[in-house]
Amino acid sequence: MRRVRRIATGSVTTGLLVAALFVAPSAIPASAQGAPAGPILAYGVFSGGAGNLEGPAVLNEPVVGMSPTPDGEGYWLVASDGGVFTAGDAPFEGSAANSGERFVGMSPTPDGRGYVLTDNNGDVKAYGDAQWLGSVQQSLNAPIVGISETPTGGGYWLAAADGGVFAFGDARFSGSMGATALNDPVVGMASTPDGTGYWLVASDGGVFAFGDARFYGAEGSTSLDVPVVGIATDKYGDGYWLAAGDGGVFTFGAVPFHGSAGGGPLTHPVRAIAATPDGAGYWLAESVVGPTPIPTQPQVDGGCYTPEIEPATIGLACADYNAFLENLQWAYWSPTLARATGTYVYNACAASCAEGPRGSVPATVWLTQPVSTSAGVEFSHAHWQYPGGTGSPGPVNLDETLFTDP
C-alpha cells in the first residue's frame, strides 16, 4: 500500500499542522517504530500507560469494532459473535456472546459507563447506562456495518453497506448514500463532536460527509493494496484517520499521523481503528482468530466443500442441494464484504421435497463474516434479497450460515 500523508487545505493553519507532526520519539511505543507486536498496535502519545495495553490473545471470532474510553486510557473490543473485551479503564458491562447473531460494531456512551452493539441486521443491544432507543424494523437493502452514539448518549446512528443511515433517539438524520450507486461498500462511520454530522467510509477509501461533518479528503482506490476497514476522529472533529486491513493509516485534515503497520508484515489482518479523544494516539486492532495471513482474497465454499473466489454458484443446502444461488455476477469482492447479483433457486416442496418443484427468483447477494479456516479465510454468512410476491409489503430478506472448512 502506498504510504502518503495527505492533509486537506482549508481553515487549518500551518502552525497547527507543524505542531501535530512533531511527536517526541521517546513517547512513541516500539510498535510505532516499525516493530508491531501483539493483537493491539499502538501509535502516538498515551496517558496512563494506555499505549502498552494488550488485547485478548485469541478470539473465537474476529474483532469487528473498537472504541476508546472518554479519557483515552482504555478501550473496548467487540467480536463478531458479540463478545466484548476490555483494556485499561474500560468497564465490562455485559456482552452478547453466544446469542447466535453476527455483530458488526459498537459505540460507548459519553461517560464510558455503557455501550451499544449492533448486528448486521440492525438489531441493537444496550449495556450499562446505554439507552436502547430502537432497532431497524424494516427490510434492509444491505447489511448494517457500523454504529455511532450521539454526544448526549440519547441516540445513535446505524450505517449500512450501501451507505444507508438510520437514526434513533436524538440522532439527527443528515443524509445518506443509500440511493446512490457506490463503487465499493461502506465499511464504517464516525460522528462529529457536536453530533450534528457524520462521515461514512467505503472500502476503497472513499469518504462521504453529512451535516456539519467537513470533507477533508479521501484515499483513491488505485493507491490501495488492501481495502480500508475503518475510520476514526478525535474530540475536535477537524480531521479523520482511515485504517486499511494491512495496518496502513491515512490522515486527512488536522489529525496527526503517528505511524502505521503498513511497512511490515502482519500475522493477522487489522479490523478496526480507535483514536484517543485528544488525538495524540490511536490503536489498531488485529483479528487474532487462528494463524491466518492478511486476506486479500477470501474464499467461499461455492460448490459445498470447494473453496473458491467469486464462484458462479453457492450451495445453501449442502445435504440435498435443495437451495442455491447461481449465475452470480460479482460487483465487488473485498476482505470483509462481497456483493453479487444472480438467481436464488429453491425447492418449493409442493407435494414432497423429493419431487420439487423448484422455483427461482432474481436476487442480490452479500457475503460477510470472514473467518479463519484450515483452507484460509472464508466468508461464513450469506444475506440475499429478492422481490416479494403479489401483496408483499416489500422485498424478502434471507440469511444463511455457510459451510466453511474446519
Side-chain angles (χ1 to χ4, degrees):
M1 174 178 292
R2 186 167 56 126
R3 305 287 163 237
V4 180
R5 171 164 170 76
R6 298 183 179 179
I7 300 176
T9 59
S11 60
V12 182
T13 66
T14 303
L16 285 175
L17 293 176
V18 172
L21 287 170
F22 287 91
V23 179
S26 61
I28 302 177
S31 59
Q33 300 172 16
I40 303 299
L41 311 177
Y43 302 90
V45 181
F46 297 84
S47 61
N52 298 316
L53 297 175
E54 286 291 334
V58 177
L59 299 177
N60 294 325
E61 298 287 344
V63 168
V64 292
M66 184 180 194
S67 295
T69 57
D71 60 7
E73 296 188 12
Y75 54 77
W76 295 269
L77 299 172
V78 61
S80 64
D81 63 355
V84 174
F85 305 88
T86 65
D89 62 356
F92 178 77
E93 301 290 352
S95 79
N98 304 315
S99 66
E101 300 173 64
R102 309 303 295 181
F103 288 81
V104 295
M106 76 177 305
S107 185
T109 55
D111 62 5
R113 297 176 182 174
Y115 40 80
V116 287
L117 312 179
T118 184
D119 67 12
N120 60 354
N121 293 313
D123 183 23
V124 176
K125 299 185 184 300
Y127 300 90
D129 67 354
Q131 301 181 60
W132 183 86
L133 296 161
S135 297
V136 176
Q137 301 296 324
Q138 65 198 71
S139 296
L140 292 170
N141 295 324
I144 297 297
V145 296
I147 186 170
S148 184
E149 277 256 2
T150 62
T152 65
Y156 43 78
W157 298 271
L158 302 181
D162 65 352
V165 174
F166 304 86
F168 299 87
D170 65 3
R172 178 188 304 176
F173 177 76
S174 299
S176 76
M177 299 299 293
T180 305
L182 300 177
N183 293 327
D184 285 281
V186 166
V187 293
M189 78 178 305
S191 58
T192 57
D194 64 2
T196 58
Y198 42 81
W199 297 275
L200 304 179
V201 63
S203 63
D204 63 355
V207 176
F208 311 97
F210 301 91
D212 71 345
R214 290 185 57 191
F215 177 74
Y216 293 104
E219 193 62 33
S221 60
T222 57
S223 67
L224 297 175
D225 294 329
V226 178
V228 165
V229 297
I231 184 171
T233 188
D234 58 20
K235 65 182 179 181
Y236 308 106
D238 53 4
Y240 39 78
W241 296 270
L242 306 184
D246 65 351
V249 175
F250 303 89
T251 62
F252 299 90
V255 297
F257 177 75
H258 298 300
S260 78
L266 293 178
T267 304
H268 305 90
V270 166
R271 297 285 191 181
I273 181 172
T276 58
D278 61 6
Y282 46 77
W283 300 274
L284 303 178
E286 291 184 70
S287 171
V288 285
V289 183
T292 305
I294 297 170
T296 57
Q297 289 287 345
Q299 301 180 90
V300 63
D301 277 302
C304 292
Y305 320 111
T306 306
E308 299 177 65
I309 295 172
E310 298 189 7
T313 302
I314 297 177
L316 300 171
C318 292
D320 53 18
Y321 220 63
N322 264 335
F324 51 92
L325 299 161
E326 66 175 7
N327 302 322
L328 296 174
Q329 301 293 319
W330 296 97
Y332 48 78
W333 188 281
S334 77
T336 56
L337 185 69
R339 179 181 180 273
T341 55
T343 304
Y344 171 45
V345 181
Y346 58 93
N347 192 329
C349 297
S352 71
C353 288
E355 299 176 2
R358 291 187 186 276
S360 63
V361 290
T364 301
V365 183
W366 291 267
L367 301 182
T368 59
Q369 304 300 330
V371 297
S372 299
T373 73
S374 59
V377 175
E378 298 178 47
F379 286 114
S380 65
H381 187 85
H383 173 92
W384 66 100
Q385 180 186 87
Y386 60 88
T390 303
S392 173
V396 178
N397 289 270
L398 295 175
D399 291 87
E400 181 77 21
T401 298
L402 298 173
F403 175 84
T404 57
D405 288 273

